[in-house]
Amino acid sequence: MSATVLYDAPGPRTVRRHRIYAGVTALALVGLAVLVLWKLNSAGQLAYAQWEVFLTPDYVRVILLDGLLKTLEMAFFAIVFAVVFGVVFGTAKLSEHWWIRSPAWLVVEFFRAVPVLLLMVFVFYLLSVGDGPLSKFWCVVVALTVYNGAVLAEVFRAGVNAVPHGQVEAAYALGLRKGQVMTTIQLPQAVRIMLPSIVSQCVVALKDTSLGYYIVAPGLTAVGKQIYLEFFNQVPTAIVLAALYITCNLLLTALATWLQRRYVGERNPVDTSRVGNMDGGRAV
Amino acid sequence: MEAVFSDFGEYAKAFGLTCGLFLVAGLGSLVWGTFLAALRVGPVAVMRKASAAYVGVFRNTPLLVVFIFVAVALPKIGYSFTFIENVDVGGHHVSGYFFRACVALTLYTSAFVCEAVRSGINAVPLGQAEAARSIGLTFTQTMQEVVLPQAVRAVVPPLTSVLVALLKNTSVAAAFGIAEATAQMKSMNNDHADQRIQIFLLFAVGYIVLVEVLTFSSYALERRWRVA
């Protein structure tokens, strides 16, 4: 344990006291686990019949293809479009002309402050209900795109601003034009800095695909709902859904950490902590 | 437009529910999240790991799945928290739906509160505590006079973004039987197909006003607590 601002290195008596705390906590946690298992068991939730569906090859195929794959597709499209949206509006926010800057600011602030679910319901009613042009799949993608795009626009702006100003001055001194400075000097460096934040935003997008549940869009939660309505195994279904999402998100987080170490280094040049959805502590 | 203004009572009531969810779940997750953060930065390894596991699980689970756990799976095994319906708050009975939504939001948000508080504590340079100890301050004095005042200031910005996210996340309760703002917008959309855009904009403005109130009070707090 490294030194911390909160307390000094413990002496022998404190170490003993901490050992007692550790033992009591471990006992309490084991007790809690036993209690949960016992409650689940007495409610019949650990019976094989409740879990059988997750071991049946046909259903596993449905869960993985109609559920997980659809969810990943939605997240993938949403993040790809969101990056485009983010680059466009992030650049617009950096513009020197107020008549480009202020509409971009308005759009970004609007979509950041409105809940994704509200957007999703609106897109669904506007473009999908009845014989609208979009399927529910794309309603989810559109809602996630504008929300995550607005967040990424801020990330992008922060990334460009994090490029040392001397770089820009040197480029102008060499005689490059404004567009060239952006595309050859600022953008390539900004993207490197932003990469971990973009991957972290993928986690947010992946989690938010679950909101399609409300407009009965395809995806993991929709498949889960069908399963628990058919087999009445709500608890096992919830556990399986959570496990699938957690696994995907942990893989993405590991990727973000690797990118951070590979391309950015230990320091964290972009403070996106006020930008992301629930990323209060993720950037640290 | 007139779809909302003719039914302004419903609009206001829906946002009242949104605020109610936000206040109860916000208070709950501040308390539970701070407790988790205390375990997370404490000297006992088992507590640190348990808290880290909690944060890891809830931060990577979608809120909607947490809702399925609390509002669909738990009632199935006999935990529907219906005892809350006997509680009387100023002549109104709290519904089981409302309480379950608050539980789900609290469980989820406290993971983020924990991370925000931890990052605030980590923001205090080690030298501050070392200096405090070396001039002879006791543990309590070090905490009260040196570490916590700085940690609290550092925690305001990340905590604000967590609370803003919570405010927006209350919309997920719409999918689980609560007539808060998003559900209200859906039902108005059903009734007034010709005014969808106006209805959406009015509800969006409602959320934006609430978010801005939160953000500006956090700025005010930061300004007030700013040191030199």
Side-chain angles (χ1 to χ4, degrees):
Chain A
M1 179 69 209
S2 60
T4 136
V5 290
L6 294 175
Y7 40 83
D8 251 329
R13 258 199 305 178
T14 317
V15 168
R16 230 174 304 145
R17 202 154 42 85
H18 286 170
R19 256 189 226 129
I20 296 173
Y21 290 158
V24 171
T25 318
L27 271 181
L29 287 174
V30 170
L32 187 69
V34 169
L35 187 73
V36 167
L37 284 179
W38 180 67
K39 283 279 179 198
L40 284 179
N41 191 33
S42 58
Q45 296 298 320
L46 295 182
Y48 177 70
Q50 295 273 321
W51 293 82
E52 191 182 2
V53 57
F54 301 113
L55 300 169
T56 315
D58 285 343
Y59 280 101
V60 172
R61 202 170 304 136
V62 168
I63 293 169
L64 289 183
L65 286 183
D66 291 354
L68 189 58
L69 193 65
K70 275 274 185 313
T71 292
L72 291 177
E73 274 175 25
M74 285 196 275
F76 173 78
F77 283 122
I79 219 70
V80 169
F81 295 143
V83 168
V84 176
F85 187 103
V87 168
V88 169
F89 281 88
T91 320
K93 276 188 78 169
L94 286 166
S95 163
E96 285 167 6
H97 308 290
W98 67 267
W99 47 272
I100 298 179
R101 221 168 36 226
S102 44
W105 173 85
L106 190 68
V107 167
V108 168
E109 290 301 310
F110 179 83
F111 287 122
R112 270 178 58 198
V114 172
V116 195
L117 193 62
L118 195 83
L119 276 173
M120 207 178 277
V121 172
F122 173 64
V123 173
F124 170 66
Y125 274 102
L126 191 71
L127 297 172
S128 176
V129 93
D131 49 0
L134 286 187
S135 69
K136 286 171 183 165
F137 178 95
W138 290 105
C139 289
V140 175
V141 173
V142 168
L144 291 184
T145 298
V146 288
Y147 171 68
N148 290 297
V151 173
L152 285 180
E154 275 301 278
V155 171
F156 178 79
R157 199 176 62 96
V160 169
N161 283 337
V163 175
H165 200 64
Q167 300 268 337
V168 180
E169 283 167 4
Y172 279 126
L174 284 175
L176 296 190
R177 298 174 59 86
K178 208 161 56 181
Q180 288 175 311
V181 173
M182 179 54 100
T183 51
T184 61
I185 306 294
Q186 287 176 296
L187 249 179
Q189 300 188 60
V191 165
R192 253 166 70 122
I193 298 173
M194 286 157 41
L195 221 45
S197 305
I198 293 177
V199 182
S200 299
Q201 201 59 34
C202 291
V203 174
V204 176
L206 184 61
K207 281 164 63 182
D208 283 347
T209 53
S210 64
L211 297 174
Y213 177 94
Y214 192 42
I215 59 168
V216 207
L220 260 182
T221 37
V223 172
K225 190 177 189 180
Q226 278 168 14
I227 287 178
Y228 73 64
L229 287 181
E230 193 173 336
F231 298 94
F232 301 105
N233 57 346
Q234 281 85 345
V235 179
T237 309
I239 292 173
V240 170
L241 284 183
L244 284 171
Y245 269 110
I246 291 172
T247 312
C248 293
N249 285 330
L250 287 182
L251 288 176
L252 276 175
T253 311
L255 177 67
T257 317
W258 181 80
L259 286 172
Q260 168 91 20
R261 218 173 293 132
R262 178 87 173 68
Y263 291 105
V264 187
E266 293 304 316
R267 76 211 169 86
N268 187 19
V270 202
D271 178 22
T272 51
S273 59
R274 302 204 67 156
V275 172
N277 179 20
M278 272 284 198
D279 279 21
R282 199 190 287 276
V284 180
Chain B
M1 268 310 175
E2 65 267 26
V4 171
F5 288 124
S6 64
D7 245 345
F8 198 75
E10 292 297 310
Y11 177 86
K13 218 163 78 187
F15 271 106
L17 256 176
T18 295
C19 292
L21 284 169
F22 170 73
L23 290 177
V24 176
L27 206 64
S29 42
L30 281 181
V31 172
W32 181 227
T34 311
F35 173 71
L36 286 170
L39 298 185
R40 191 94 158 79
V41 296
V44 184
V46 180
M47 292 180 179
R48 276 202 306 271
K49 289 199 178 112
S51 168
Y54 178 96
V55 171
V57 165
F58 279 93
R59 209 165 63 163
N60 288 307
T61 310
L63 177 58
L64 198 108
V65 175
V66 178
F67 259 94
I68 291 182
F69 250 110
V70 177
V72 178
L74 280 189
K76 177 80 177 153
I77 57 171
Y79 293 95
S80 44
F81 306 110
T82 36
F83 62 86
I84 202 75
E85 287 172 14
N86 302 322
V87 179
D88 208 49
V89 184
H92 294 283
H93 286 282
V94 183
S95 81
Y97 286 105
F98 182 83
F99 188 74
R100 286 192 290 270
C102 288
V103 169
L105 285 167
T106 302
L107 287 177
Y108 181 77
T109 312
S110 50
F112 295 92
V113 170
C114 171
E115 286 301 271
V117 171
R118 191 175 72 109
S119 76
I121 291 172
N122 285 342
V124 181
L126 183 57
Q128 295 281 326
E130 286 171 346
R133 284 175 206 144
S134 66
I135 57 170
L137 297 190
T138 63
F139 174 77
T140 323
Q141 285 173 321
T142 310
M143 283 294 131
Q144 267 179 6
E145 308 292 336
V146 180
V147 175
L148 288 184
Q150 298 185 62
V152 167
R153 282 173 180 77
V155 115
V156 171
L159 208 54
T160 308
S161 61
V162 168
L163 288 178
V164 166
L166 167 65
L167 180 62
K168 295 192 289 174
N169 279 335
T170 56
S171 62
V172 178
F176 295 87
I178 299 195
E180 49 69 76
T182 301
Q184 186 64 38
M185 186 193 83
K186 194 179 182 187
S187 88
M188 284 190 174
N189 257 323
N190 268 331
D191 299 342
H192 307 276
D194 51 331
Q195 301 169 38
R196 276 176 190 146
I197 293 175
Q198 294 98 310
I199 292 174
F200 167 70
L201 286 177
L202 281 174
F203 276 90
V205 165
Y207 275 107
I208 290 171
V209 166
L210 291 178
V211 167
E212 292 306 323
V213 166
L214 252 179
T215 324
F216 279 112
S217 28
S218 124
Y219 286 153
L221 216 55
E222 270 180 68
R223 252 204 314 280
R224 193 165 162 180
W225 283 349
R226 183 179 296 153
V227 187

